[in-house]
Amino acid sequence: MATAHARLLLLEDDPAIARTVAYALEREGLSIVHSLLLRDAREQLRARPFDLLVLDVGLPDGNGLDLLRDLRRDPAHQATPVLMLSAHGEELDRVLGLELGADDYLPKPFSPRELAARVKALLRRAATSAPQAAAAAPPSPFHDDAAGQRVSLHGRPLPLTRREYRLLACLLRGAGRIQSREALLAGAWGDDSESTDRTVDTHIKTLRAKLREADPAREYISTHRGMGYCLEP
């Protein structure tokens, strides 16, 4: 993919910021499609492929992280580079975006030149790594049926509770990467204020038991002390 011919989707509800970003990226020879609302971005993604997505988090009709979560569940968009924009400075927002599969995260206010540099770097990385990843990636033993909220291992459905399903789905979306307890808690429990890091540990324990019962030959979830958990693909 030549950077100069790449097509980008920009999801940003502030017209002034969108114009500045689009101008900076178009000066680099990139083709920009701008959406003000989440629903329009979803329609654009259904209508045509994009080489990179720049997604704002806070939107009038939803949250860019919800779109990111849905994209990483869709095989057609799992490898599409995503750069998140957000006015929120909280560490949890940044961690959650990265753990959900974002490739980069830029807080507002930002320099348009820095944004353009990061976009070009992501496009170069995608152009370099995509053929190698496609050739080397083995098929996953897991299948996540998001609509039915079921996960199968080697073709056999796992007997998961609703929370166990959501936790395993989070781990699968970030397979191969260490995910913090905070990110897993936010992804699987959302705004449930009564849940704690210990809740994640307890559910990881039950998940491990069910995975061992389904496949005794492998340990799929590893613990990284002081950092979190990683599901090996």
Side-chain angles (χ1 to χ4, degrees):
M1 167 184 38
T3 300
H5 300 291
R7 187 201 305 267
L8 278 69
L9 174 64
L10 169 63
L11 174 57
E12 169 58 62
D13 67 311
D14 187 319
I17 293 177
R19 285 194 297 270
T20 301
V21 169
Y23 177 74
L25 296 177
E26 286 170 348
R27 288 188 63 185
E28 303 293 336
L30 307 175
S31 175
I32 310 301
V33 175
H34 173 224
S35 292
L36 284 165
L37 298 174
L38 190 62
R39 63 174 179 270
D40 179 61
R42 292 185 186 277
E43 292 174 1
Q44 295 289 350
L45 287 163
R46 286 192 291 266
R48 60 183 63 84
F50 290 91
D51 299 305
L52 186 141
L53 311 178
V54 178
L55 308 179
D56 192 14
V57 172
L59 299 160
D61 61 339
N63 191 304
L65 292 174
D66 293 331
L67 177 58
L68 173 63
R69 181 183 293 109
D70 294 341
L71 291 173
R72 291 314 189 217
R73 291 173 175 171
D74 183 351
H77 298 290
Q78 285 177 349
T80 303
V82 175
L83 187 152
M84 300 299 301
L85 303 176
S86 176
H88 301 295
E90 292 84 357
E91 181 183 5
L92 181 57
D93 289 326
R94 298 195 298 273
V95 169
L96 181 56
L98 295 172
E99 295 296 349
L100 287 176
D103 298 275
D104 202 353
Y105 196 106
L106 192 58
K108 298 176 183 178
F110 55 83
S111 160
R113 293 179 62 184
E114 180 183 0
L115 173 63
R118 291 188 183 220
V119 163
K120 290 193 294 181
L122 288 175
L123 289 170
R124 286 194 301 268
R125 187 190 312 164
T128 302
S129 63
Q132 299 174 354
S140 172
F142 291 95
H143 173 70
D144 181 5
D145 174 10
Q149 295 201 340
R150 293 185 298 267
V151 174
S152 298
L153 178 59
H154 298 301
R156 299 178 59 184
L158 295 168
L160 304 176
T161 65
R162 182 169 62 92
R163 292 299 189 189
E164 288 170 350
Y165 164 75
R166 294 179 64 178
L167 180 57
L168 182 55
C170 288
L171 288 165
L172 285 170
R173 286 194 295 273
R177 301 196 304 269
I178 300 172
Q179 302 188 63
S180 68
R181 289 174 173 83
E182 293 83 1
L184 292 171
L185 186 64
W189 278 264
D191 296 327
D192 185 351
S193 59
E194 295 183 0
S195 298
T196 65
D197 289 358
R198 183 60 61 187
T199 305
V200 175
D201 296 337
T202 300
H203 282 74
I204 287 287
K205 182 178 180 179
T206 61
L207 265 182
R208 278 181 169 144
K210 291 180 179 181
L211 291 172
R212 289 191 194 109
E213 185 175 351
D215 185 0
R218 282 194 60 182
E219 188 68 58
Y220 287 95
I221 301 175
S222 59
T223 302
H224 295 261
R225 191 173 300 278
M227 300 174 67
Y229 296 101
C230 177
L231 185 139
E232 303 299 336

